[in-house]
Amino acid sequence: MDVSLSQALHGFKDGVRTVMVVYGSTDRFALHLLERAWREQMEVIGERGECVHYDWPETSLRQAIQEAYSGSLFGERMLVSIRGVDCLTTGYKGKLSEGEGAALQAVVDEMPEHPMIFYTSGEKLDERRKIVKALQAASHVRMVSLTKQSEDDRRVLLERWMGRDLILTVPQRQEVLRRTQGSLGGLYNEVEKLKLFAHSSGRISDDDLAMLVAGDSPPDVFSLIRSLVNGDIASAYTQYKAMPATESTFGLLALIARQFRLIAIVHDKAHRAMSDARLAGITGVHPYAVKMAREQSRKTSIHSCLRFLGEVGEIEYAIKSGRIQEHLAMDLFFMKRLGEHGPAI
């Protein structure tokens, strides 16, 4: 069954046990949204859940799929996410092994115990393959296309992401949709930025919206920092290189330090049990910023935060003392991360 991303995001509410095949986009933004939607549903039903990630072909489909059929020792729910399953798309020219094909067929034949997401980077599914046709025909499998997002879908997602924290007029909503064009990731990032700017009032002026929403301008620092925190170093570096030469390096360093400091505070045992509103009052930020920091803390350890903070301080001192030119310092900062994680993060 073919569904849109907005339908898929609501699909977990219809039943946690589901299988999704996502195609049509090279980035992993939609996967982040789907995992987040599943976690939110776990909170609604009052159960604990864990996202289990695999990358194909580093991990075989047989091994990853088996995880979805096995019961958790402690009775916890799992969402099994398998990234890079391009063997289902037209861009894959290899031959799927008999064992891998059998593992996929098992998904067709029987609903797994835990929900699954097969995430591809291909634009089109290869409907010449029997297993693709079988997945499409299975009633419990949802084929999620990211290639054709209608304006109605984007409006639904805009409303979802605005929630109660942001109030936009109809013309303002139209302008945000226009400026972000077909980019769902861009739309999400701009809404998040507007929420932070609007703070407690939830409202924003037309002039401020025009200033804040990037549109066709180069990537903004908010998006760069988000990529950095999420471990997408290659994307963060690409965005940094695309920024105007006039962009303040010290301003960027300050924002990076601010975000990692907030995540470190969230990690602290003394603050974990605090509500977002109370912790926001202590740190002087919007409660939504605390909520986002809590989500990002799942991917970033406190040791990593402290390391980033230390490096940012060293870079700032080195630049100010004349030991290194600022843009070269930032290039080395990103290059070091790319060397550690690899360029294909």
Side-chain angles (χ1 to χ4, degrees):
M1 180 187 297
D2 292 333
V3 298
S4 66
L5 177 59
S6 59
Q7 291 172 318
L9 290 171
H10 287 84
F12 292 116
K13 295 181 179 180
D14 299 329
V16 175
R17 293 175 63 193
T18 185
V19 177
M20 297 183 184
V21 178
V22 185
Y23 66 97
S25 178
T26 57
D27 64 46
R28 294 175 178 174
F29 177 75
L31 180 60
H32 164 73
L33 292 180
L34 289 167
E35 291 177 352
R36 179 178 173 183
W38 180 78
R39 288 193 182 98
E40 290 174 351
Q41 178 60 16
M42 288 297 96
E43 293 177 0
V44 169
I45 64 177
E47 293 194 21
R48 297 181 61 183
E50 176 187 4
C51 288
V52 183
H53 299 100
Y54 293 102
D55 287 279
W56 188 82
E58 287 81 0
T59 301
S60 70
L61 291 174
R62 177 187 291 273
Q63 178 183 345
I65 290 172
Q66 182 59 39
E67 188 80 25
Y69 284 91
S70 63
S72 171
L73 180 63
F74 300 103
E76 293 184 357
R77 304 260 191 167
M78 291 189 296
L79 172 66
V80 179
S81 169
I82 311 175
R83 300 170 293 194
V85 193
D86 292 342
C87 57
L88 301 176
T89 69
T90 56
Y92 183 75
K93 303 305 179 184
K95 184 178 180 181
L96 198 62
S97 70
E98 183 176 340
E100 297 290 73
L104 287 170
Q105 185 61 46
V107 175
V108 173
D109 295 338
E110 182 183 355
M111 169 80 78
E113 180 68 23
H114 302 283
M116 297 187 67
I117 300 177
F118 294 96
Y119 202 87
T120 80
S121 60
E123 184 177 349
K124 295 180 180 179
L125 294 175
D126 190 350
E127 297 184 356
R128 297 169 299 177
R129 296 179 183 269
K130 291 183 179 179
I131 190 60
V132 172
K133 292 181 179 179
L135 287 166
Q136 290 176 321
S139 60
H140 59 276
V141 178
R142 304 289 182 264
M143 316 303 284
V144 186
S145 173
L146 305 180
T147 56
K148 298 179 181 179
Q149 292 295 327
S150 69
E151 284 302 302
D152 287 340
D153 282 335
R154 296 181 69 233
R155 289 191 186 94
V156 169
L157 291 173
L158 174 59
E159 294 285 343
R160 175 188 176 95
W161 295 332
M162 285 169 52
R164 299 180 179 179
D165 297 320
L166 182 63
I167 303 170
L168 298 179
T169 65
V170 172
Q172 286 178 331
R173 296 178 192 183
Q174 292 173 341
E175 181 65 10
V176 171
L177 290 171
R178 185 190 69 80
R179 289 192 174 219
T180 55
Q181 298 179 352
S183 171
L184 291 178
L187 176 60
Y188 177 82
N189 292 339
E190 297 305 332
V191 171
E192 181 181 339
K193 187 197 306 180
L194 292 174
K195 282 182 176 180
L196 291 172
F197 190 86
H199 198 56
S200 58
S201 71
R203 299 182 182 275
I204 192 166
S205 70
D206 291 342
D207 289 340
D208 286 336
L209 186 145
M211 174 188 69
L212 290 169
V213 179
D216 297 328
S217 63
D220 61 282
V221 293
F222 289 88
S223 178
L224 186 157
I225 293 171
R226 187 174 301 105
S227 297
L228 190 62
V229 171
N230 289 336
D232 194 349
I233 313 300
S235 176
Y237 186 51
T238 299
Q239 292 176 77
Y240 169 72
K241 297 297 287 185
M243 286 184 173
T246 55
E247 187 72 45
S248 169
T249 299
F250 294 115
L252 174 59
L253 288 172
L255 288 172
I256 292 174
R258 172 186 177 274
Q259 192 62 24
F260 280 104
R261 188 177 295 111
L262 182 58
I263 296 173
I265 290 172
V266 167
H267 267 298
D268 189 273
K269 292 181 180 179
H271 301 130
R272 286 178 187 171
M274 289 186 182
S275 67
D276 291 350
R278 184 181 177 191
L279 190 52
I282 294 174
T283 56
V285 301
H286 192 283
Y288 185 76
V290 175
K291 179 181 179 181
M292 294 306 300
R294 289 194 196 278
E295 291 186 5
Q296 292 171 336
S297 69
R298 295 170 180 165
K299 300 181 179 180
T300 309
S301 69
I302 189 169
H303 300 291
S304 179
C305 291
L306 295 176
R307 181 185 173 195
F308 265 104
L309 289 171
E311 289 190 14
V312 167
E314 291 175 3
I315 291 172
E316 188 171 3
Y317 178 78
I319 294 173
K320 289 182 177 179
S321 62
R323 288 164 47 198
I324 192 171
Q325 193 267 343
E326 58 185 272
H327 293 297
L328 176 58
M330 294 305 299
D331 282 338
L332 292 175
F333 172 77
F334 284 107
M335 287 298 179
K336 181 180 179 181
R337 286 292 184 284
L338 286 171
E340 293 173 348
H341 298 280
I345 291 180

